Amino acid sequence: DAKTTQPPSMDCAEGRAANLPCNHSTISGNEYVYWYRQIHSQGPQYIIHGLKNNETNEMASLIITEDRKSSTLILPHATLRDTAVYYCIVRESNFGNEKLTFGTGTRLTIIP
Amino acid sequence: DAGVTQSPTHLIKTRGQQVTLRCSPKSGHDTVSWYQQALGQGPQFIFQYYEEEERQRGNFPDRFSGHQYPNYSSELNVNALLLGDSALYLCASSLAWVGNQPQHFGDGTRLSIL
């Protein structure tokens, strides 16, 4: 079973920041938080991951609370191409052979 | 640099038949994982191959089997197809035992069972 809880859907205006929350209250000390997204008819796309520190890359920022029980994915300037299902995943390690356990994700719709 | 490629993109079968799906991993990757995604659901882990052996397996029956070749490409075989096997089958590749390694996904094979 997935170890995360996400809202089923969210809307965001184009050009604004999209903030996607994720609850992972049972996360253990060595588990990582990963975010993937899936655009319609495509495979999941890796976005970002972190352990305890906030992370930023060219796609997004990941903010993890100090107690690590929740996190927020931030898309700073959302575009229509960011419309997708976003999955928050808790993963036991960051090795490539560690499996991914997906939940049902958040369907993000960017409004023109 | 080619990413993960899967074939075919679409497939229609009837109940009781057998099917083979194929996956070529991203260049430099040695591990292939397979996932099943039913309509409206997140992907579910089927199994993973590394060094030509099945290393991990999810909660799927023995009708689901696989293979990995020396060039790291992989096949997923499903026997005695059921209507419930209709889904998008995703392949993901990665490097085993290397840190900070996300899995890279292909765009999947959509399997429809009539």
Side-chain angles (χ1 to χ4, degrees):
Chain A
D1 292 337
K3 299 181 180 180
T4 62
T5 304
Q6 299 178 253
S9 63
M10 293 181 62
D11 293 338
C12 178
E14 188 178 16
R16 304 296 295 270
N19 295 274
L20 291 92
C22 179
N23 183 290
H24 31 80
S25 58
T26 61
I27 194 170
S28 65
N30 295 324
E31 289 181 319
Y32 290 76
V33 179
Y34 274 73
W35 284 83
Y36 278 76
R37 72 181 182 184
Q38 189 171 20
I39 297 169
H40 183 61
S41 299
Q42 297 182 18
Q45 177 191 22
Y46 166 77
I47 302 173
I48 199 167
H49 77 278
L51 180 62
K52 57 181 72 174
N53 297 320
N54 298 336
E55 303 286 346
T56 296
N57 63 20
E58 65 279 2
M59 289 183 67
S61 295
L62 174 60
I63 308 298
I64 302 174
T65 58
E66 191 169 344
D67 63 8
R68 304 210 322 124
K69 291 185 177 181
S70 66
S71 60
T72 301
L73 178 74
I74 302 171
L75 308 178
H77 304 286
T79 70
L80 297 179
R81 288 178 294 180
D82 292 322
T83 292
V85 177
Y86 287 76
Y87 296 99
C88 171
I89 297 166
V90 167
R91 199 182 187 204
E92 290 185 9
S93 80
N94 67 349
F95 288 142
N97 51 324
E98 181 61 43
K99 68 181 181 183
L100 296 167
T101 302
F102 289 82
T104 51
T106 295
R107 182 173 298 278
L108 175 67
T109 302
I110 306 301
I111 310 297
Chain B
D1 180 20
V4 179
T5 58
Q6 294 187 241
S7 63
T9 55
H10 294 84
L11 202 52
I12 300 174
K13 292 286 188 178
T14 57
R15 283 180 298 174
Q17 285 189 311
Q18 177 265 342
V19 68
T20 297
L21 312 181
R22 295 177 174 81
C23 172
S24 292
K26 179 179 169 66
S27 178
H29 284 182
D30 58 9
T31 301
V32 173
S33 301
W34 287 92
Y35 294 80
Q36 180 196 64
Q37 186 174 24
L39 203 59
Q41 302 296 315
Q44 299 300 304
F45 176 74
I46 303 175
F47 47 52
Q48 182 184 87
Y49 277 82
Y50 170 64
E51 292 184 332
E52 302 180 47
E53 291 188 13
E54 183 183 298
R55 300 290 180 171
Q56 301 180 64
R57 191 178 182 91
N59 188 25
F60 281 81
D62 292 346
R63 297 187 299 109
F64 290 77
S65 64
H67 188 80
Q68 185 179 36
Y69 294 92
N71 67 354
Y72 308 119
S73 67
S74 176
E75 291 179 352
L76 164 66
N77 302 293
V78 187
N79 295 322
L81 287 166
L82 304 173
L83 293 178
D85 295 331
S86 293
L88 179 67
Y89 288 85
L90 295 160
C91 168
S93 73
S94 55
L95 266 176
W97 305 118
V98 177
N100 288 316
Q101 287 297 306
Q103 294 186 3
H104 293 255
F105 284 80
D107 286 337
T109 294
R110 183 159 299 281
L111 176 63
S112 299
I113 310 302
L114 303 180

